[in-house]
Amino acid sequence: MSQTLQAIRGMNDILPEHSPSWQFVEDSVRATLEAYGFREIRMPIVEKTELFRRSIGEVTDIVEKEMYTFEDRNGDSLTLRPEGTAGCVRACIQHSLVSNQVQRLWYTGPMFRHERPQKGRYRQFHQIGVEVFGLEGPDVDAELLMLTARLWKRLGLPRMSLQVNSLGTSEARARFREDLVAYLRAHSDELDEDSQRRLDTNPLRILDSKDPHTQALLDDAPRLSEYIDADSRAHFDALCGFLDAAAIEYQVNPRLVRGLDYYGRTVFEWVTDQLGAQGTVCAGGRYDGLVEYLGGRRTPAVGLAMGLERLIALLESAGVEVPDASPHLYIVAMGELAQQQGLLLAERLRDAMPRLRVLTHCGGGSFKSQFKKADRSGAQYALVIGDDEVRKREVGIKALREQKEQESVSFDALDGTVSRLFGWGQ
Ligand code: ATP
Ligand code: MG
């Protein structure tokens, strides 16, 4: 027996009914980024596995167990990108975009991670990534946060909390790591299983653990903030000063970390309590060491990534009204001449009003069945053309969303009448 084919678990179709939300978010993000001088870059979805191993790190969840890696026909090991920063940095080095110059870049597209699918966590998901190269001061970190705050407002999202922290330099973190491991080793039987494993591989990630016992143990552990070097401290204080001046609320969360050496100083996350366990909508920070680590010249860098599925879930759960893309007009036409006339009038109206959305019925059928479809299309008005109308060079206009008599308008007066209906003047 044949079974219909299904999409792969954790990889979703985005159906037309959800497209308005996606387009609203994508358009708003693009307009906001352009308002801050960012330019778009587009990278391939597939890169050499080596790139992700090196830039994300061997002992991270992503590289250890989440990558979609395969051999292509040449025997090269390739990977579907699990995130965008690695490819963006690779492209910048390859095309000399970051030697002695500032770049403000953004990109969007699907990312792939083999995680356990659940609400807000998928195997193909979408991110918008933002990266700034060539600036090391806290002013640009602050501006990235102002940009995101502006975007949440523009989207009409419910309040999110902003958490910030400083990781200091890698030397400071190395000293902290040593003391943290010594402390945790003394209590290793109280740690959850994952954290026990991380003690040897990536101990800073233990600070992230959701396990309550581990969290309690961490209350008395050494604190990263006590190890931070003076320059990083000043950088962080200045960042907080900028945020205060811009009236952006934030909490300093000393347990917010990234486990990798080329991350340093600023880290942040925007978190909502409206989406259950998957509450982080946007995360980012400074990675001043990565460009050099991947073979470029030393270049300071800071960036962030937002998860579009989570942003859209938040938007929909808050009932934000997004711009409607349903047609303005639906053309109902009976008879061969009327069908031809309907197509021509629709073309003429589209020429005259580039913003106008016109759906022509196509396919014939009774007036009754055509009107049913007109109604279902969400259109505001039906334009009605039959043999009579063709003869008189007239069109019937029928409001579909309010009780009103059908009116007749001559072909010649149609452009003006339609544009007045939608408040476009003429
Ligand atoms: P999490 O702790 O939720 O696994 P992460 O630290 O792995 O997140 P990042 O790599 O920082 O996430 O990615 C940035 C953002 O991308 C996240 O804050 C989230 O909004 C989104 N994101 C990450 N993984 C997924 C996924 N599997 N499905 C949907 N969105 C995701
Ligand atoms: Mg993850």
Side-chain angles (χ1 to χ4, degrees):
M1 216 171 66
S2 75
Q3 215 179 355
T4 51
L5 290 168
Q6 304 279 312
I8 293 164
R9 202 163 108 81
M11 303 202 179
N12 302 314
D13 299 306
I14 297 163
L15 299 177
E17 61 181 299
H18 291 290
S19 295
S21 299
W22 281 79
Q23 289 167 349
F24 175 57
V25 170
E26 288 161 352
D27 293 349
S28 306
V29 174
R30 175 189 304 229
T32 305
L33 286 164
E34 283 174 357
Y36 288 79
F38 283 78
R39 297 186 302 157
E40 186 180 3
I41 180 168
R42 302 187 187 196
M43 297 85 63
I45 287 174
V46 181
E47 299 267 2
K48 289 187 181 144
T49 304
E50 180 64 18
L51 174 69
F52 300 116
R53 282 191 178 285
R54 291 187 53 188
S55 77
I56 299 170
E58 297 280 354
V59 293
T60 53
D61 284 351
I62 293 181
V63 172
E64 276 180 342
K65 50 189 187 196
E66 294 175 1
M67 293 206 302
Y68 280 91
T69 296
F70 59 96
E71 255 187 29
D72 78 355
R73 288 171 193 275
N74 307 325
D76 295 327
S77 179
L78 306 181
T79 294
L80 299 184
R81 63 181 182 196
E83 53 96 58
T85 302
C88 185
V89 171
R90 195 262 317 129
C92 285
I93 297 172
Q94 183 175 337
H95 302 287
S96 306
L97 299 187
V98 288
S99 39
N100 290 323
Q101 44 187 317
V102 172
Q103 292 286 351
R104 288 180 168 83
L105 302 175
W106 71 276
Y107 49 81
T108 183
M111 307 293 162
F112 302 85
R113 298 184 194 176
H114 196 273
E115 306 196 63
R116 190 169 68 78
Q118 53 197 292
K119 184 169 175 263
R121 192 175 291 288
Y122 309 102
R123 289 181 174 172
Q124 173 173 329
F125 62 99
H126 298 77
Q127 283 183 339
I128 289 181
V130 177
E131 322 279 0
V132 180
F133 297 97
L135 295 171
E136 62 187 342
D139 49 354
V140 68
D141 302 14
E143 199 177 41
L144 275 185
L145 292 168
M146 291 178 195
L147 177 163
T148 43
R150 177 182 299 275
L151 178 63
W152 312 150
K153 210 184 228 171
R154 181 173 191 146
L155 292 172
L157 297 182
R159 264 172 86 86
M160 279 193 264
S161 85
L162 170 62
Q163 311 203 343
V164 295
N165 193 23
S166 176
L167 300 178
T169 58
S170 60
E171 295 76 33
R173 277 197 314 284
R175 281 188 290 118
F176 166 67
R177 190 181 299 126
E178 218 169 274
D179 290 358
L180 179 71
V181 169
Y183 168 84
L184 291 175
R185 228 182 260 298
H187 301 84
S188 66
D189 49 336
E190 294 168 57
L191 285 174
D192 63 279
E193 213 174 290
D194 260 352
S195 298
Q196 290 193 2
R197 195 170 49 84
R198 286 183 175 142
L199 208 46
D200 295 317
T201 56
N202 196 350
L204 290 192
R205 285 295 306 273
I206 296 175
L207 301 185
D208 255 354
S209 167
K210 305 275 188 298
D211 183 79
H213 283 295
T214 301
Q215 278 297 330
L217 200 59
L218 287 169
D219 284 340
D220 298 321
R223 284 171 188 277
L224 176 57
S225 56
E226 284 152 25
Y227 292 73
I228 299 291
D229 54 292
D231 285 351
S232 298
R233 162 75 40 213
H235 192 278
F236 188 59
D237 290 346
L239 169 63
C240 294
F242 286 126
L243 294 178
D244 292 335
I248 293 178
E249 279 180 42
Y250 59 92
Q251 283 114 41
V252 177
N253 175 356
R255 296 200 184 152
L256 196 61
V257 289
R258 292 274 186 280
L260 303 169
D261 268 354
Y262 55 77
Y263 277 105
R265 298 197 166 164
T266 312
V267 282
F268 57 83
E269 281 188 2
W270 285 97
V271 186
T272 172
D273 57 8
Q274 308 284 302
L275 295 178
Q278 269 56 252
T280 305
V281 168
C282 173
R286 227 165 226 291
Y287 51 96
D288 292 338
L290 183 59
V291 176
E292 188 176 30
Y293 185 69
L294 289 180
R297 252 197 252 167
R298 182 160 179 85
T299 307
V302 57
L304 60 82
M306 35 196 143
L308 284 181
E309 280 78 3
R310 294 185 195 177
L311 263 181
I312 285 157
L314 192 56
L315 195 80
E316 292 184 349
S317 79
V320 173
E321 289 219 10
V322 303
D324 178 18
S326 51
H328 296 103
L329 302 178
Y330 191 104
I331 300 203
V332 165
M334 267 282 268
E336 209 168 300
L337 266 182
Q339 280 176 322
Q340 190 186 76
Q341 202 52 250
L343 286 172
L344 296 180
L345 282 176
E347 287 296 294
R348 205 182 84 191
L349 290 169
R350 293 184 189 110
D351 281 342
M353 286 162 273
R355 276 186 290 172
L356 188 71
R357 296 185 293 269
V358 189
L359 197 56
T360 50
H361 172 75
C362 295
S366 68
F367 269 133
K368 194 170 164 214
S369 75
Q370 292 196 36
F371 264 109
K372 226 188 222 162
K373 295 210 168 99
D375 192 46
R376 240 185 276 152
S377 76
Q380 303 285 313
Y381 295 89
L383 296 192
V384 190
I385 316 173
D387 292 340
D388 255 9
E389 280 81 6
V390 174
R391 215 174 311 117
K392 293 195 234 156
R393 297 185 57 77
E394 273 181 10
V395 181
I397 299 186
K398 175 86 181 102
L400 295 171
R401 310 288 144 206
E402 52 187 331
Q403 287 297 334
K404 242 165 127 190
E405 284 299 300
Q406 182 168 320
E407 287 173 34
S408 291
V409 181
S410 73
F411 282 1
D412 293 338
L414 189 59
D415 296 13
T417 306
V418 167
S419 105
R420 272 191 302 279
L421 280 178
F422 299 104
W424 294 336
Q426 271 196 28

